[in-house]
Amino acid sequence: MRGLNTYESFTAVINRVSIDARKADAIIATGDLVQDETRQGYERFRNAIGKLNVPVHCIPGNHDSPRIMAETLSKAPFHFCGTHAYGGWRLIMLNSAVRWDDGGRLEANQLKILESTLAKHPDDHVLVGLHHHPLPTGCRWLDGLGLRNSDEFFEIVDRFPNIRAVAWGHVHQAFETLRNDVLMLSTPSTGSQFLPDSDVFMMDSRPPAYRWIELHPDGSIETEVVWLS
Ligand SMILES: [Fe+2]
């Protein structure tokens, strides 16, 4: 894609993760896993990342096939959307993909999962994952392709003080900000990156990357983007 062999860059990221001195408890894959939407592509993803031998939480992006993804990535250690507990932390993984739209939307059933899970687990620290950015990231061309009903999303988020972080993919760049004490994070791609703060579509020369997120028992978070040189 655009001159890059994305399977090679993806496996280079997996290899780098495998030698990270920190051992991950889980991986969050925030969508756009296989652009050509083939079953073989998801099987390649599954074989490559499965070597890390930890749970992998997958959500679909605008370039995925949610149907094939659910069929190939629902058996342990893979999880397709849904909620999962790790100690005092809970992940809520939402599907914001809309067929034939590069922007995203959380349909009523996803908003219901978010709200009911938060209501049921008020004592858990929560990280929410979705593919599309729910707030502007500074790239004007991308900001028209974010979460289209972010007002409905934040109406729920703002009612639950135990949400600690929201993490997404889609934007191919690193982004971090605090919104009402909630850490808002995007993670660069395992392939090529987009140029931050650009009004029009521009590629960035930065390398593939992944994000480390350390979730502490007291609800605090440390995070860092690891770029492959
Ligand atoms: Fe995307």
Side-chain angles (χ1 to χ4, degrees), residues 31-32 61-63 102 131-132 169-172:
D32 289 352
N62 46 306
H63 295 299
D102 284 331
H131 180 67
H132 295 84
H170 193 47
V171 297
H172 293 236

Side-chain angles (χ1 to χ4, degrees), residues 11 34 55 80 93 105 153 184 189 193 199 207 213 218 222:
T11 51
V34 178
F80 180 75
M93 306 297 290
R105 167 171 290 277
F153 174 66
M184 312 294 292
S189 173
Q193 314 302 350
D199 285 345
I213 306 177
D218 66 356
E222 285 174 81

